[in-house]
Amino acid sequence: MLKNIPEGFILGASSSAWQTEGWKGKKEGQDSYLDMWYKEEPFVWHEGYGPAGATSFYDRYNEDVALMKEIGLTHYRTSINWARFFTDYENSVVDEDYAQHISDVVDALLDAGVEPMLCLEHYEVPAYLMEKYDGWSSKHVVELYAKYAEIAFERYADRVKNWFTFNEPVVIQTRIYLDSIRYPHEQDTSKWMQWNFNKVIATARAVQIFHEKGYNGQIGAILNPEVTYARSSSPADQKAARMYDLLYNRIFLDPLVKGEYPDELFDVLTKHAIPFEYSEEELLIIKENTVDYLGINLYFPKRVRSPRYEWNKETPFHPEYYYEEFSLPGRRMNTSRGWEIYPQIMYDMAMRLKSEYGNIPWFVAESGMGIEQEERFADSKGTIQDDYRIAYITEHLNSLLDAVKDGANCNGYMLWAFTDCVSPMNAFKNRYGLVRIDLEDDKKRSLKQSAYWYRDLIQSKRLEVAEHTYK
């Protein structure tokens, strides 16, 4: 069975600055949060790989852009590394060498016929701001970010039409202040909520600046709402799913798209004494400066059930007060990553955005499959035969196209990732790329079988779907 891909539908790939650039050219004092974490705890990064080397994109972007052109990507999404963009964060003094690098990358992409998409923060908050102001705990950092956004727009908005304020803005503070599994391992639920709010107001400020300046383009955010399924139809399980959704998904979806927080959220924060600072003026800025569109990262479903055990009252509040994770028996798994494979999430998220969020324009900003030891699948010529990745993309894109047919305002699919790249802690353990990075051979690039398949898909705009394709 063949499915036609709509005209103008994005078929691209994503990455970020910190996961690709490496540290060449980085100046003293330009560490990001990820750089700081890597320096403090290199032992938690698989085989010691981290942002220091990454994929050497800073040096080799021309080589990578040529491969993008060969594959035919319509779009490439990456980030500006905020930590490297300035030599003085307080006074917004631009590092002209790094700024020129970003300009050169943008020009190279445009020359190759690949539309650039730029994110202002993909976990790259400067370490200086973490150490001096506790990062996104501070309203001052919000204002420094707004100035950064203004300068970035001035530099590149003449050529870059697609902008994003954050990638997965809920993640860093959740891993640090809720779960305490990342440096500096601090458990503080109020700080978690303050970071959440300050990233929302920072987004609104950037949207405000972008629109007031009248740039020709659109600005949004890239979120990672997890499609949440209750274990059963019981009221207790349904409440668990609703609360998970409230505290992890709606905490960004509602203010960024609808311009306001759910009333229930404030009730929960009051109940559990999780104060955070906000003003009525800030709430008005959020209300008046909603995003133009969304990027949505979708990898796996979230399955929950009602908690079976009473919460320890001496333990600081965590959203797990309301839910417990549930593993569906018989689920399909990517055993390399420990994630369930369930393409139905594409359709269900699309229908939710259509029914609950005004059918806002959006696209899949990340979707992909990370596999360990991919060299196992190399043929005699050294080409990785990643049929599993082709099947994964086919199934998820098939589900997404069904949603488009049913009226979802989704205009694209972006694969994570263009090349194999460094991930937090996992480093290069799980490979996601269309393009292989050979760490044993000077990071030599080579196309995997999925890259040739993706090129054919982009050229033909037709998806071949087997009748038995899993949904």
Side-chain angles (χ1 to χ4, degrees), residues 409-459:
N409 196 7
C410 177
N411 56 30
Y413 178 92
M414 300 278 281
L415 184 70
W416 186 270
F418 171 61
T419 65
D420 296 334
C421 60
V422 171
S423 296
M425 299 172 74
N426 280 302
F428 284 103
K429 180 181 180 183
N430 295 299
R431 302 302 188 98
Y432 285 88
L434 293 169
V435 177
R436 181 188 184 194
I437 301 289
D438 189 341
L439 298 177
E440 304 302 319
D441 188 9
D442 193 33
K443 296 178 183 170
K444 179 182 176 182
R445 275 78 161 142
S446 61
L447 300 186
K448 301 177 188 178
Q449 187 59 35
S450 58
Y452 297 107
W453 176 86
Y454 206 50
R455 180 181 66 188
D456 292 343
L457 176 72
I458 293 167
Q459 290 176 349

Side-chain angles (χ1 to χ4, degrees), residues 117-241:
M117 298 174 134
L118 287 183
C119 184
L120 292 169
E121 206 257 45
H122 191 130
Y123 309 168
E124 294 130 348
V125 59
Y128 168 87
L129 300 180
M130 289 287 291
E131 292 167 343
K132 185 165 185 178
Y133 300 109
D134 224 1
W136 288 105
S137 302
S138 167
K139 303 290 186 183
H140 180 59
V141 170
V142 173
E143 290 310 307
L144 292 178
Y145 172 87
K147 184 62 178 176
Y148 158 49
E150 182 178 5
I151 294 170
F153 299 151
E154 289 172 355
R155 296 286 182 120
Y156 311 117
D158 60 328
R159 291 161 288 163
V160 178
K161 308 306 178 187
N162 293 280
W163 289 88
F164 308 97
T165 57
F166 292 93
N167 177 83
E168 299 182 345
V170 75
V171 167
I172 291 292
Q173 62 269 25
T174 298
R175 298 291 181 263
I176 299 174
Y177 302 119
L178 277 189
D179 302 333
S180 300
I181 60 174
R182 293 184 182 175
Y183 180 82
H185 309 284
E186 179 183 349
Q187 215 294 329
D188 188 330
T189 313
S190 293
K191 190 176 290 188
W192 171 73
M193 190 58 218
Q194 191 69 59
W195 274 50
N196 289 333
F197 178 78
N198 284 350
K199 288 184 179 182
V200 169
I201 187 64
T203 290
R205 290 281 288 113
V207 169
Q208 182 182 42
I209 292 165
F210 190 85
H211 288 160
E212 286 179 351
K213 297 289 185 178
Y215 291 113
N216 178 25
Q218 52 188 348
I219 183 167
I222 297 168
L223 305 181
N224 59 315
E226 295 174 343
V227 184
T228 311
Y229 300 100
R231 178 190 63 153
S232 76
S233 59
S234 76
D237 285 346
Q238 292 293 315
K239 179 182 178 182

Side-chain angles (χ1 to χ4, degrees), residues 11 41 69 105 134 153 163 202 211 251 317 361 385 392 448:
L11 287 170
E41 296 182 335
K69 182 177 182 179
V105 169
D134 224 1
F153 299 151
W163 289 88
H211 288 160
I251 206 164
F317 172 74
Q385 299 296 317
Y392 181 98
K448 301 177 188 178

Side-chain angles (χ1 to χ4, degrees), residues 394-419:
T394 298
E395 292 173 355
H396 286 74
L397 188 52
N398 178 47
S399 181
L400 189 64
L401 291 174
D402 284 346
V404 172
K405 182 180 178 182
D406 290 344
N409 196 7
C410 177
N411 56 30
Y413 178 92
M414 300 278 281
L415 184 70
W416 186 270
F418 171 61
T419 65

Side-chain angles (χ1 to χ4, degrees), residues 7-287:
E7 193 63 35
F9 194 82
I10 292 168
L11 287 170
S14 299
S15 196
S16 75
W18 81 266
Q19 289 170 285
T20 57
E21 285 177 345
W23 287 355
K24 182 167 184 181
K26 186 160 74 77
K27 299 178 175 62
E28 186 73 24
Q30 287 186 321
D31 284 348
S32 68
Y33 162 72
L34 269 298
D35 298 334
M36 176 174 67
W37 176 25
Y38 178 63
K39 287 181 176 180
E40 290 290 336
E41 296 182 335
F43 53 88
V44 305
W45 296 71
H46 182 67
E47 296 184 344
Y49 285 108
T55 70
S56 302
F57 182 81
Y58 190 88
D59 270 347
R60 301 174 69 164
Y61 69 87
N62 279 314
E63 184 179 352
D64 285 346
V65 171
L67 292 172
M68 295 179 204
K69 182 177 182 179
E70 182 177 347
I71 296 169
L73 298 186
T74 65
H75 293 67
Y76 177 65
R77 191 258 298 184
T78 188
S79 58
I80 301 172
N81 191 328
W82 180 10
R84 296 187 64 171
F85 194 68
F86 296 109
T87 54
D88 180 340
Y89 303 109
E90 300 286 4
N91 298 298
S92 302
V93 178
V94 173
D95 182 332
E96 294 298 341
D97 294 331
Y98 184 76
Q100 186 61 50
H101 163 73
I102 295 296
S103 184
D104 291 344
V105 169
V106 167
D107 286 343
L109 289 167
L110 291 171
D111 288 345
V114 181
E115 189 73 21
M117 298 174 134
L118 287 183
C119 184
L120 292 169
E121 206 257 45
H122 191 130
Y123 309 168
E124 294 130 348
V125 59
Y128 168 87
L129 300 180
M130 289 287 291
E131 292 167 343
K132 185 165 185 178
Y133 300 109
D134 224 1
W136 288 105
S137 302
S138 167
K139 303 290 186 183
H140 180 59
V141 170
V142 173
E143 290 310 307
L144 292 178
Y145 172 87
K147 184 62 178 176
Y148 158 49
E150 182 178 5
I151 294 170
F153 299 151
E154 289 172 355
R155 296 286 182 120
Y156 311 117
D158 60 328
R159 291 161 288 163
V160 178
K161 308 306 178 187
N162 293 280
W163 289 88
F164 308 97
T165 57
F166 292 93
N167 177 83
E168 299 182 345
V170 75
V171 167
I172 291 292
Q173 62 269 25
T174 298
R175 298 291 181 263
I176 299 174
Y177 302 119
L178 277 189
D179 302 333
S180 300
I181 60 174
R182 293 184 182 175
Y183 180 82
H185 309 284
E186 179 183 349
Q187 215 294 329
D188 188 330
T189 313
S190 293
K191 190 176 290 188
W192 171 73
M193 190 58 218
Q194 191 69 59
W195 274 50
N196 289 333
F197 178 78
N198 284 350
K199 288 184 179 182
V200 169
I201 187 64
T203 290
R205 290 281 288 113
V207 169
Q208 182 182 42
I209 292 165
F210 190 85
H211 288 160
E212 286 179 351
K213 297 289 185 178
Y215 291 113
N216 178 25
Q218 52 188 348
I219 183 167
I222 297 168
L223 305 181
N224 59 315
E226 295 174 343
V227 184
T228 311
Y229 300 100
R231 178 190 63 153
S232 76
S233 59
S234 76
D237 285 346
Q238 292 293 315
K239 179 182 178 182
R242 179 170 56 82
M243 296 304 290
Y244 184 92
D245 183 56
L246 175 70
L247 290 165
Y248 287 109
N249 297 338
R250 296 183 65 193
I251 206 164
F252 281 98
L253 273 171
D254 280 40
L256 295 192
V257 179
K258 296 180 178 180
E260 56 189 17
Y261 286 93
D263 291 338
E264 186 177 13
L265 176 64
F266 289 102
D267 294 340
V268 170
L269 299 180
T270 299
K271 174 182 176 179
H272 296 284
I274 311 169
F276 70 98
E277 293 181 13
Y278 69 93
S279 68
E280 292 302 317
E281 180 185 6
E282 288 173 323
L283 294 181
L284 183 61
I285 291 172
I286 291 168
K287 188 174 186 63

